[in-house]
Amino acid sequence: MRRVLTTLAAAGLAAGALTACGDDSNNDSTRPAKIGVILPDSASSNRWETADRKYLEAAFKAAGVEYDIQNAQGDKTAFQTIADQQITNGATVLMIVNLDSGTGKAVLDKAKNQGVATIDYDRLTLGGTAEYYVSFDNVQVGKLQGEGLQKCLTDLKAEKPVVAELHGSPTDNNATLFKEGYESVLNPLYENGTYVKGPQEPVPAWNNTTAGTIFEQMLTQANNKIDGVLAANDGLGNAVITTLKKNGLNGKVPVTGQDADTQALQNILVGDQCMTVYKAVKQEADAAAELAIALSKGERKDVPGKVTDPETGRAVPSVLLTPKAIFFDSVKDVVADGYVTKADLCTAAYEAKCAEAGVS
């Protein structure tokens, strides 16, 4: 398994930890200070449009810089076209969430050749040339998922439970890191016979419809004998839950996730989902925006961490933030942080459960 090795000065780094350290001679300060951002899609997770876009826009507006945020909607050709347009239109900084490392690398290399500064946002582009990488500790995200599933199975007093795993997209390096994290928890339990290793399969492009089909096949082949599901994000988790509902198994089979989206939190409130992982996207967006704004002014900032690109061995200056496991009794923390609103979460069907969970 390819590994990304991280060195952090501290956990939970905030954008405020970044300090200026001089000018970037490759950035022509006479060009318009314009930042281009390419988001990956809105189907695999709604966070890109409901959270990342909102927080990045707010940061850029507050700084008074020109910006252009576009979404490639999962289309690799569109991704490259957007990058070309943004560079042609005068972007001096390009921030990308790659669809895969090959496409991402092509865009980063072209930007570098034209003197445009680059940032990998959320996903590291393997073999890429980004000047910074801003994300969460993704191995820790996976570890929290594994520990969360273990907690929920223990609470259910499950004996030798069969655990299925729905991995993320095989072209997303984050999915590799999540898997590394949760398998560091689950593999020892498989090996000592505490758990039984069930079916496992990656989900191409994080496609939720595909995930539902894959899990239906898993469940059929296992004669409904799946006792827990490690789903790599909330979208995949909800696809699993939909299938479990069809078979009268929702609430009986713990399911994990990550992203802490509204649907996942509602699933947790009613007991259909075991847990999710909350990544404070505002912190991530603010940290990336601060770096992008500095680069647009011809400045570089020191950052406290480095990530080693496993393909090139290059140490990429990085900001890695700390994720948090969310269970029934901590759903309120996501609302309190402003990531999800009470109005959206606590609709009529969930109002009583919100009160029970202390959501205010």
Side-chain angles (χ1 to χ4, degrees):
M1 177 186 294
R2 295 179 299 182
R3 290 171 176 251
V4 170
L5 307 176
T6 62
T7 303
L8 296 177
L13 300 172
L18 311 177
T19 56
C21 69
D23 291 342
D24 176 3
S25 59
N26 292 325
N27 195 328
D28 183 353
S29 60
T30 64
R31 295 174 63 189
K34 189 169 185 178
I35 299 167
V37 179
I38 310 177
L39 301 175
D41 64 74
S42 56
S44 66
S45 174
N46 61 19
R47 63 163 278 193
W48 304 114
E49 287 297 329
T50 62
D52 296 85
R53 179 187 288 272
K54 173 178 68 176
Y55 295 133
L56 289 169
E57 283 183 342
F60 296 146
K61 285 178 180 177
V65 298
E66 289 187 74
Y67 65 91
D68 176 32
I69 302 175
Q70 295 194 47
N71 194 314
Q73 296 300 351
D75 186 323
K76 296 177 187 179
T77 300
F79 191 97
Q80 293 179 312
T81 299
I82 291 168
D84 289 343
Q85 290 172 343
Q86 291 179 332
I87 293 170
T88 299
N89 291 338
T92 58
V93 182
L94 194 61
M95 183 192 304
I96 69 167
V97 187
N98 70 59
L99 294 175
D100 60 53
S101 286
T103 306
K105 182 180 186 306
V107 165
L108 293 174
D109 287 349
K110 181 176 288 188
K112 181 179 180 181
N113 289 338
Q114 297 193 39
V116 176
T118 53
I119 297 172
D120 267 335
Y121 182 64
D122 199 72
R123 299 171 181 170
L124 181 68
T125 301
L126 302 184
T129 54
E131 292 162 62
Y132 294 103
Y133 170 50
V134 180
S135 189
F136 287 83
D137 182 340
N138 291 310
V139 173
Q140 181 63 16
V141 170
K143 188 176 180 183
L144 291 176
Q145 290 176 312
E147 291 171 344
L149 184 60
Q150 182 182 15
K151 176 185 183 301
C152 293
L153 287 168
T154 299
D155 290 347
L156 288 173
K157 298 181 172 55
E159 295 185 10
K160 292 188 179 299
V162 176
V163 175
E165 296 179 23
L166 275 180
H167 311 305
S169 173
T171 61
D172 180 357
N173 185 61
N174 280 3
T176 301
L177 300 178
F178 302 146
K179 184 172 183 283
E180 179 181 341
Y182 54 71
E183 289 198 337
S184 73
V185 176
L186 296 178
N187 281 348
L189 297 170
Y190 298 144
E191 290 163 7
N192 66 23
T194 302
Y195 291 175
V196 176
K197 192 171 188 174
Q200 299 185 55
E201 197 166 335
V203 179
W206 295 95
N207 186 286
N208 297 330
T209 301
T210 303
T213 301
I214 290 171
F215 185 70
E216 282 186 16
Q217 293 169 348
M218 286 180 171
L219 197 61
T220 298
Q221 291 167 4
N223 293 318
N224 283 10
K225 180 55 179 172
I226 290 177
D227 305 299
V229 183
L230 195 301
N233 78 354
D234 287 336
L236 306 187
N238 194 57
V240 168
I241 290 166
T242 299
T243 299
L244 291 173
K245 285 179 178 178
K246 292 177 185 176
N247 292 272
L249 295 171
N250 57 304
K252 300 174 184 177
V253 178
V255 180
T256 67
Q258 67 157 309
D259 288 337
D261 64 31
T262 300
Q263 179 66 69
L265 297 176
Q266 291 172 336
N267 286 338
I268 291 172
L269 287 173
V270 298
D272 288 342
Q273 184 165 328
C274 156
M275 57 84 67
T276 187
V277 178
Y278 173 48
K279 298 180 293 188
V281 173
K282 186 177 188 304
Q283 294 178 24
E284 184 183 22
D286 285 350
E290 184 174 346
L291 290 173
I293 291 163
L295 287 172
S296 75
K297 297 175 180 177
E299 301 173 353
R300 288 185 179 277
K301 286 180 173 284
D302 281 331
V303 294
K306 290 190 182 295
V307 165
T308 300
D309 183 332
E311 288 196 356
T312 65
R314 183 173 73 99
V316 186
S318 303
V319 177
L320 298 183
L321 299 153
T322 303
K324 178 180 180 178
I326 299 296
F327 298 88
F328 180 87
D329 59 359
S330 50
V331 167
K332 62 181 180 290
D333 296 343
V334 183
V335 179
D337 205 37
Y339 186 69
V340 170
T341 68
K342 180 180 179 181
D344 287 341
L345 178 65
C346 303
T347 55
Y350 302 95
E351 189 173 1
K353 285 294 182 180
C354 276
E356 185 182 338
V359 177
S360 59

